[in-house]
C-alpha cells in the first residue's frame, strides 16, 4: 500500500467513466438484443442468406461478448466513485474515517474498477467487431440472386466489412494511445514527487 500516491484516483481521460457506462449499460444490451433477434431470423429464413450458419455463430459469439461487457460493467461500477461520493457517505465535520484511509480505499477500489472496466471494454469491443463480421455475412446475397440484388447486397457487405475493419483498427489504436497517455501521466506524477 505504501506505493500508492497520495490523492484521489481519477480516470484518464476524465470522461472514461461515463463513456464506459454508456457502452456497458446502454449500447451493449441493445446490440445483444439485436444479435439474438438476427439469429432468430437466420434460423427461420436460412434459405434467403448465403452463409446463415457462420453468421449465426458470429452473432452468438457477439451476443456472449456483449453480455460479458454488461456483466463486467456491473461489477466494475460498484468500485467507481468520486471524492464527492465519499463526502456524501462520510460528511466532513461528522464521524469520518481518516482522510488518508478514505483515499487509500478509493484508490484500491479505483484500481479494481479499472481492471474490470478494461475487461468490459475488451468484451464490448470484441462484440462490436464480431457483430460487424456477422453482419457482413448476413448481407452477402444468396445463391441465385438477381444481378441488381446481388450488387446491392455485395456492396453493403463490403461497406460493412470495411467499417468493421476500421473499427478494429480504431480500437487497437485507442488502446495504444491510452497506454501512452497513462504512462505520460504516471511519469509526470513521478517527476513532480521529489520523494519518489
Amino acid at each position: 500500500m505504501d506505493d500508492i500516491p497520495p490523492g484521489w484516483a481519477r480516470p484518464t481521460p476524465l470522461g472514461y467513466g461515463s463513456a464506459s457506462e454508456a457502452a456497458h449499460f446502454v449500447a451493449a444490451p441493445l446490440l445483444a438484443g439485436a444479435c439474438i433477434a438476427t439469429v432468430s431470423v437466420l434460423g427461420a429464413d436460412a434459405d434467403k442468406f448465403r452463409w446463415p450458419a457462420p453468421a449465426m455463430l458470429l452473432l452468438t459469439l457477439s451476443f456472449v461478448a456483449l453480455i460479458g461487457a454488461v456483466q463486467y460493467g456491473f461489477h466494475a461500477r460498484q468500485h467507481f466513485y468520486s471524492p464527492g461520493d465519499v463526502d456524501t457517505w462520510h460528511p466532513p465535520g461528522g464521524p469520518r474515517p481518516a482522510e488518508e484511509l478514505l483515499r487509500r480505499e478509493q484508490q484500491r477500489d479505483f484500481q479494481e474498477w479499472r481492471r474490470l472496466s478494461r475487461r468490459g471494454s475488451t468484451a464490448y469491443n470484441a462484440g462490436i467487431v464480431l457483430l460487424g463480421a456477422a453482419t457482413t455475412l448476413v448481407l452477402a446475397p444468396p445463391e441465385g440472386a438477381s444481378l441488381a440484388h446481388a450488387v446491392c447486397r455485395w456492396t453493403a457487405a463490403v461497406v460493412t466489412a470495411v467499417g468493421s475493419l476500421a473499427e478494429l483498427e480504431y480500437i487497437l489504436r485507442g488502446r495504444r494511445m491510452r497506454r501512452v497517455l497513462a504512462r505520460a501521466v504516471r511519469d509526470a506524477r513521478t517527476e513532480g514527487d521529489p520523494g519518489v
Side-chain angles (χ1 to χ4, degrees):
M1 290 293 245
D2 294 331
D3 59 341
I4 297 175
W8 299 98
R10 62 180 184 256
T12 305
L14 288 176
Y16 186 76
S18 297
S20 177
E21 286 189 22
H24 298 160
F25 301 128
V26 179
L30 291 172
L31 294 170
C35 288
I36 291 302
T38 307
V39 166
S40 299
V41 170
L42 288 169
D45 290 328
D47 60 316
K48 293 182 173 74
F49 300 94
R50 182 175 290 259
W51 299 301
M56 289 172 82
L57 174 61
L58 290 175
L59 285 164
T60 302
L61 293 173
S62 178
F63 170 79
V64 170
L66 291 165
I67 293 301
V70 173
Q71 288 299 99
Y72 276 121
F74 169 76
H75 291 291
R77 184 59 182 97
Q78 60 194 319
H79 297 282
F80 187 63
Y81 52 91
S82 69
D85 295 325
V86 172
D87 287 344
T88 297
W89 287 100
H90 303 287
R96 179 180 169 114
E99 192 75 12
E100 181 180 338
L101 175 66
L102 291 173
R103 286 181 181 172
R104 286 184 184 271
E105 212 172 81
Q106 188 265 347
Q107 290 168 356
R108 186 191 66 237
D109 282 341
F110 180 81
Q111 294 308 317
E112 183 65 7
W113 169 79
R114 184 172 17 208
R115 184 181 72 81
L116 293 170
S117 184
R118 283 181 179 158
R119 288 183 180 180
S121 292
T122 299
Y124 178 78
N125 290 335
I128 293 293
V129 172
L130 287 164
L131 180 58
T135 303
T136 299
L137 295 181
V138 167
L139 289 169
E143 296 288 338
S146 70
L147 179 61
H149 187 78
V151 167
C152 288
R153 284 185 65 166
W154 278 122
T155 302
V158 168
V159 168
T160 304
V162 169
S164 298
L165 289 172
E167 178 67 16
L168 179 61
E169 188 272 332
Y170 179 80
I171 290 165
L172 296 175
R173 190 168 18 104
R175 290 177 72 110
R176 281 193 304 272
M177 290 304 296
R178 280 191 298 279
R179 278 193 222 118
V180 167
L181 182 58
R183 190 176 310 122
V185 168
R186 195 171 43 249
D187 291 348
R189 286 182 187 153
T190 302
E191 290 173 10
D193 186 358
V196 175

